[in-house]
Amino acid sequence: MPRPLKAGDRLAKDKSRRPQGSASTKRPRKPRTGLARVAGGVLVRGLYRLALLGVVGGLLVGGGLFLYFSSGLPSVAKLRHYEPPLETRIYADNFRLIAALGTQHRIYVPYDRIPHLVASAFISAEDRNFWTEPGIDPLAIVRAGLVDMTRLGSHERPLGASTITMQVVKNMLLDNRIDFARKIKEAILALRVNRAMSKRRILTLYLNEIYLGQNAWGVAAAAEAYFDKPLSRLTIAEAATLGGLPKAPTNYNPFLHPKRALDRRNWVIGRMRDDGVITDTEAKQALASPLLPKAAAGTRPVPGAGYFINAVEAQLVQMFGQKTTMEGGLIVRTSLNPRLQTAAMDAMRDRLEAYDHEFGFYHGPVTRLDLADLAADWPAALAKQATPAGLRRRWRLGVVVSETPTMAHIGWIQGDNPAATRAGTLSLAALQWGRPMIHGAPGPMLRAVDQMLKPGDVIMIDPHKPTKGGTVSLEQIPHVEGSMLSLDPETGRVSIMVGGWSNRMSPYNRATQAHRQPGSSVKPFDYLTAMQAGVQPDATILDAPFTQRLADGQLYRPGDYEMNFLGPVPVFYALEQSLNLATLHLVRRVGLANVAANFEKFRIVHHMPLIYPAAIGALDTTLWRMVRGYAALDEYGRQVEPSLIDSVTAPDGHILYQAPDQSCANCMDGSADQLPVLNRPGAQLADPDSVYQVIMMMRNVTEHGTGVPAVLGLKRPIAGKTGTTNNFNDAWFIGFIPQMVTGCWIGYDTPRDLGTNQTGGNVCGPAWNQFMKVALKGQPVINFPTPAGMTLAQVSYGSQTVTEAFKPGQAPGAQSNLGLVADNPLGLGGALSNGNGQNTQHDFNPASVPSGTEQSVPPPSVDKSLGGLY
């Protein structure tokens, strides 16, 4: 029986049957059964469903994430009505920028005023696909995502992929955090913004909102800050410099990092060329341009204008509110005259400095340098000292390097370079003015320099003012203060305002805020009351003892400056020489209540107490009020409202405020003989004839009386009046010509004696004179016009002859005993005319006011023993 085949035998047989050298062959695949086909289809469908499920799941997850990150996002609708915070810009009368109010320096520029070159520089640098993208750049986002994933844990700043639209969202709708969640929100909002508004609007928001360094927000402010130019005048290179700043304003600031800024600028120029914004030739020229940015002159300070600016700011806040004033982008045109403001500040500081050298004493050094620093490197040590507030422009900080008994050797730095040192000397004689005070008076003469100065002392010097035996002068900021105010009486426009030595040292405005006793500077309103009552300028009034028993039992017995009695004097002479007793007798004749009425109508005070000291200046008022009252006199009784602001304009050009109408009714008539009739607002406070009589008497004050020091060398008609309180605490002079009124006050913030014989004419007069010589240069000489029907006549007193004005029906010499009788021979009863045919409510009737009852309870600041002196 044959042996059964085994597996190995069969394989061997099969193998033996293969042709030698032939490749092995696969066994043919059996046909798939139906079950296999079903299994395969299930697998494919499963994979398809799995993929579909993944897509749906991804969409659901993505949608969920979208909803998660979308929830609570700010609305893009606010961008349609977005008004960026804009600084308010204040200009002088010559359009010079003098101040900017606000926390952000920004100038809003609408799209049609943004040069194409500037916009293109930013687009080439920041977002080349801006005009076509949907608000985001997907490829840039993917690229940034991949790079950022490789930086995980490296603490490196994530790579940005922000489009211009996304930057608008970041700057205006979101915070500045850098994380993935915020970037997702940024992208979502960018898509919404792109759908909600035009590309032009988005670009306008971007170019006005973006911060570009140098405290400049927006392209217009940056053009000023870096190149002192408007946008329309920027070159390609300058536009590229700005276009390179958004990435890192500090790192690419051309003032701080010029090499980086130059490289960045050139890169932007290359991008602009590649984008077809500029040609190859233009690119080459721009690349060859030096960086050389010019810092904006900006708000070049006008000396002392801080007081004026603060007053304007306060008025704007009152008119428009704090937020609009600081963020509303107001354009404010003011009446400030920079040339005259500089002259006024110089005049006041020169006068206070001269007064300090005559009556003051040395306050001591600003600080002291360590003697080791002095010996090692005093220029470096001195350079570290902060500039004191109030230091005059020509002054310097110097250090006492060495001293001998008769001479101090001073070193200082010229400019900002510590290597640029200068040397000078201060002699013993030059220091005598500052010798220490003993019991309120300057002590004995100095015997040696070291009684005042020692090595290491840092002092203020004037290297431009040589002294006797020395090359520099010792200076200091005086303790005495002063103020000055000047305006055009026709318009009320305030041209200068000095509120003190330095606004940086003290914002307290002594021109508007300091309530001080005006002394005899109120007397013109006493005499106006007399002129309104029919008193003639040459009428005789008695300069004799004046007593008044007041309601509280006190006896009021004032005196004149000279403490003597002149007897009968003409009215014009009593004002000219500021005679207290004659003035008080005149006030008693015309009625204290009538005088009070004029004080209040001319707004010298809100309410005048009915006591005689108040009639000669023992009350509180301000320089602002006094100049306003004198301006009404200059306008022949028309009320004048001082103004600081000419106009206020919104950023879109809409006028928000304009000063009252100042048109002229007959300026086009061409008549040389006819005075212009100006349509000025303001009530008529007194009849022009009476005011003119006072003006003529006030001319005597400046030509023959107490105001002579103020007008030396000013060869023109000037009316004015001095003011000095009887304890010499306050010195005043207020004077005017037809086209200008200027007032001056000098005193201590805490009232104290200015010194014996320091009257308004002697103290304020020189400052007033110095300023007016500048202000009147080139101005025509204009006389005060005589009202129709009035006559001018010469009258005499003693050896003096002056010209006075007389109303119709008056004649020189017709009143010769006004103050010599107790009754009322002139019939000065009835009401006072205000020039409009209307009468005041204060009737003149001396008999109706019993002696000792012309008083009301005075405020605490009024001392009934006080009054004007001179």
Side-chain angles (χ1 to χ4, degrees):
M1 228 180 125
R3 179 175 59 89
L5 289 175
K6 297 180 180 179
D9 296 337
R10 187 180 296 125
L11 288 175
K13 183 178 179 182
D14 289 343
K15 186 176 180 179
S16 66
R17 292 178 180 177
R18 291 176 184 169
Q20 200 170 29
S22 64
S24 63
T25 59
K26 294 182 179 180
R27 299 175 64 180
R29 182 176 296 176
K30 297 180 179 180
R32 296 177 61 186
T33 64
L35 183 59
R37 285 197 302 270
V38 171
V42 170
L43 181 61
V44 171
R45 285 193 297 271
L47 293 175
Y48 173 77
R49 289 171 181 170
L50 184 61
L52 181 60
L53 183 62
V55 171
V56 172
L59 291 175
L60 290 174
V61 172
L65 290 174
F66 180 84
L67 292 175
Y68 172 78
F69 287 111
S70 297
S71 61
L73 289 180
S75 172
V76 302
K78 61 184 294 187
L79 297 183
R80 296 193 185 97
H81 309 289
Y82 179 73
E83 296 180 358
L86 305 175
E87 64 183 5
T88 287
R89 298 164 73 80
I90 302 176
Y91 294 87
D93 68 342
N94 63 353
F95 296 102
R96 172 178 171 180
L97 180 66
I98 58 173
L101 308 179
T103 57
Q104 296 181 356
H105 175 41
R106 178 189 281 106
I107 306 169
Y108 184 82
V109 185
Y111 180 82
D112 56 4
R113 289 175 52 195
I114 300 174
H116 174 71
L117 185 69
V118 174
S120 298
F122 282 83
I123 291 173
S124 292
E126 293 292 308
D127 188 2
R128 304 173 85 172
N129 300 318
F130 170 74
W131 295 109
T132 58
E133 70 199 9
I136 63 174
D137 187 341
L139 293 179
I141 292 175
V142 171
R143 180 177 64 253
L146 292 175
V147 173
D148 291 341
M149 288 179 66
T150 65
R151 296 178 176 179
L152 290 176
S154 66
H155 302 292
E156 292 188 52
R157 183 184 179 91
L159 184 66
S162 294
T163 62
I164 284 177
T165 309
M166 293 173 71
Q167 292 185 54
V168 168
V169 167
K170 178 185 69 175
N171 294 332
M172 301 170 68
L173 296 178
L174 296 175
D175 54 48
N176 288 319
R177 290 180 303 164
I178 302 296
D179 56 47
F180 289 108
R182 208 231 46 197
K183 294 296 286 185
I184 293 173
K185 295 179 180 180
E186 188 178 298
I188 293 171
L189 283 173
L191 292 170
R192 293 179 180 177
V193 169
N194 193 72
R195 291 194 302 267
M197 60 185 59
S198 68
K199 290 287 189 179
R200 288 188 173 189
R201 175 63 177 167
I202 295 171
L203 188 61
T204 302
L205 292 174
Y206 173 75
L207 293 178
N208 280 284
E209 176 67 19
I210 191 166
Y211 178 67
L212 296 172
Q214 293 292 109
N215 194 34
W217 298 78
V219 290
E224 277 193 359
Y226 290 105
F227 304 107
D228 201 19
K229 288 182 177 182
L231 281 177
S232 58
R233 292 177 52 198
L234 291 184
T235 65
I236 294 173
E238 291 165 347
T241 299
L242 298 186
L245 289 172
K247 184 177 182 180
T250 300
N251 291 339
Y252 296 121
N253 185 315
F255 298 120
L256 302 177
H257 306 288
K259 178 62 170 61
R260 294 181 194 168
L262 182 64
D263 292 343
R264 179 69 175 173
R265 182 205 71 175
N266 292 344
W267 177 82
V268 175
I269 291 173
R271 299 267 288 194
M272 294 172 70
R273 178 196 57 210
D274 296 342
D275 293 341
V277 176
I278 57 177
T279 65
D280 287 340
T281 301
E282 289 172 330
K284 290 178 182 178
Q285 293 174 348
L287 290 169
S289 300
L291 185 63
L292 295 178
K294 178 183 178 182
T299 55
R300 296 178 288 274
V302 177
Y307 292 105
F308 186 98
I309 293 166
N310 286 355
V312 169
E313 179 181 350
Q315 186 174 345
L316 291 172
V317 171
Q318 184 178 16
M319 294 167 63
F320 303 105
Q322 181 75 22
K323 182 175 178 60
T324 300
T325 297
M326 303 306 291
E327 299 181 1
L330 305 178
I331 306 300
V332 183
R333 174 87 182 276
T334 73
S335 55
L336 182 75
N337 184 312
R339 180 180 68 88
L340 296 187
Q341 177 66 37
T342 301
M345 197 65 192
D346 287 342
M348 180 55 68
R349 284 184 166 182
D350 287 348
R351 183 68 195 105
L352 297 180
E353 182 183 332
Y355 175 90
D356 189 51
H357 280 216
E358 184 176 359
F359 294 95
F361 63 96
Y362 179 54
H363 306 155
V366 175
T367 186
R368 287 184 54 81
L369 297 184
D370 187 271
L371 292 181
D373 292 334
L374 180 65
D377 188 3
W378 68 259
L382 186 61
K384 296 177 182 178
Q385 302 301 316
T387 301
L391 191 76
R392 299 194 69 174
R393 287 171 294 172
R394 67 173 186 262
W395 292 0
R396 297 290 182 270
L397 280 184
V399 61
V400 180
V401 178
S402 63
E403 45 85 13
T404 67
T406 60
M407 192 76 67
H409 297 274
I410 313 298
W412 71 94
I413 299 171
Q414 191 67 30
D416 298 325
N417 183 6
T421 60
R422 299 289 186 272
T425 57
L426 266 172
S427 67
L428 178 63
L431 301 178
Q432 293 297 336
W433 71 263
R435 58 190 185 275
M437 300 287 286
I438 299 178
H439 304 300
M445 300 294 287
L446 296 176
R447 299 299 181 183
V449 168
D450 63 5
Q451 289 182 263
M452 274 181 52
L453 301 180
K454 300 184 183 302
D457 283 357
V458 176
I459 59 177
M460 299 179 186
I461 61 169
D462 188 345
H464 308 288
K465 191 166 72 174
T467 58
K468 184 178 181 180
T471 60
V472 302
S473 65
L474 175 67
E475 303 294 348
Q476 66 182 1
I477 297 173
H479 289 164
V480 67
E481 281 286 3
S483 59
M484 188 177 288
L485 193 70
S486 186
L487 58 78
D488 178 346
E490 286 190 335
T491 63
R493 299 176 73 245
V494 176
S495 57
I496 67 103
M497 178 187 288
V498 177
W501 178 273
S502 168
N503 177 257
R504 287 183 57 207
M505 289 178 56
S506 167
Y508 179 63
N509 191 334
R510 295 155 189 86
T512 61
Q513 295 176 293
H515 287 75
R516 305 299 291 247
Q517 290 194 2
S520 298
S521 62
V522 300
K523 288 179 179 175
F525 301 97
D526 298 333
Y527 287 80
L528 173 61
T529 309
M531 297 302 104
Q532 289 176 283
V535 176
Q536 294 184 180
D538 67 336
T540 303
I541 191 72
L542 190 62
D543 184 56
F546 180 93
T547 60
Q548 183 69 42
R549 180 74 63 182
L550 301 181
D552 58 5
Q554 295 187 35
L555 187 64
Y556 176 56
R557 300 185 62 179
D560 283 336
Y561 177 74
E562 293 84 359
M563 299 305 293
N564 57 6
F565 312 113
L566 300 180
V569 296
V571 168
F572 72 81
Y573 187 80
L575 180 60
E576 173 189 306
Q577 297 299 322
S578 198
L579 303 178
N580 281 344
L581 300 178
T583 301
L584 288 169
H585 280 293
L586 182 64
V587 169
R588 177 180 281 172
R589 295 294 298 172
V590 300
L592 188 59
N594 289 316
V595 170
N598 269 337
F599 276 41
E600 294 167 13
K601 281 195 302 181
F602 281 79
R603 297 184 293 172
I604 299 302
V605 290
H606 177 68
H607 172 72
M608 172 183 157
L610 291 179
I611 56 174
Y612 281 103
I616 54 174
L619 42 72
D620 287 342
T621 188
T622 64
L623 180 63
W624 177 276
R625 285 175 170 268
M626 291 300 297
V627 170
R628 180 176 62 187
Y630 273 59
L633 293 178
D634 200 357
E635 282 291 287
Y636 287 54
R638 181 184 67 85
Q639 179 175 303
V640 175
E641 189 60 51
S643 66
L644 308 175
I645 299 174
D646 290 342
S647 64
V648 180
T649 307
D652 62 1
H654 175 66
I655 296 177
L656 301 174
Y657 168 82
Q658 196 161 23
D661 182 26
Q662 298 169 358
S663 61
C664 179
N666 67 336
C667 291
M668 303 303 293
D669 293 349
S671 174
D673 300 327
Q674 187 179 12
L675 290 174
V677 179
L678 300 172
N679 297 327
R680 307 295 188 197
Q684 193 70 28
L685 307 177
D687 64 283
D689 291 0
S690 296
V691 176
Y692 182 66
Q693 288 180 309
V694 174
I695 290 174
M696 292 300 292
M697 289 192 289
M698 293 175 73
R699 287 187 57 182
N700 298 337
V701 174
T702 62
E703 294 173 7
H704 308 285
T706 60
V708 168
V711 301
L712 293 175
L714 300 174
K715 299 178 179 180
R716 62 177 66 226
I718 298 173
K721 184 68 186 76
T722 56
T724 313
T725 54
N726 72 352
N727 47 14
F728 298 102
N729 280 354
D730 300 275
W732 302 71
F733 181 76
I734 307 170
F736 57 88
I737 59 175
Q739 61 267 49
M740 180 180 290
V741 183
T742 301
C744 165
W745 168 86
I746 289 177
Y748 289 94
D749 284 341
T750 300
R752 78 182 208 215
D753 190 351
L754 285 167
T756 304
N757 299 328
Q758 293 308 297
T759 64
N762 294 332
V763 178
C764 255
W768 196 93
N769 182 275
Q770 180 177 331
F771 166 70
M772 291 299 287
K773 282 181 178 177
V774 177
L776 297 179
K777 187 175 182 180
Q779 292 286 331
V781 177
I782 302 176
N783 209 338
F784 295 98
T786 304
M790 296 195 72
T791 58
L792 299 177
Q794 289 188 326
V795 294
S796 299
Y797 174 72
S799 61
Q800 178 179 318
T801 299
V802 297
T803 300
E804 298 298 341
F806 294 86
K807 297 176 182 177
Q810 294 181 341
Q815 299 175 358
S816 60
N817 61 347
L818 179 61
L820 304 182
V821 294
D823 58 358
N824 184 14
L826 302 179
L828 301 181
L832 307 183
S833 171
N834 66 2
N836 287 330
Q838 300 174 348
N839 295 328
T840 70
Q841 297 177 353
H842 300 271
D843 295 334
F844 170 74
N845 187 355
S848 68
V849 184
S851 177
T853 63
E854 302 99 322
Q855 59 86 36
S856 63
V857 178
S861 61
V862 174
D863 181 344
K864 290 188 282 288
S865 67
L866 301 183
L869 261 188
Y870 218 44

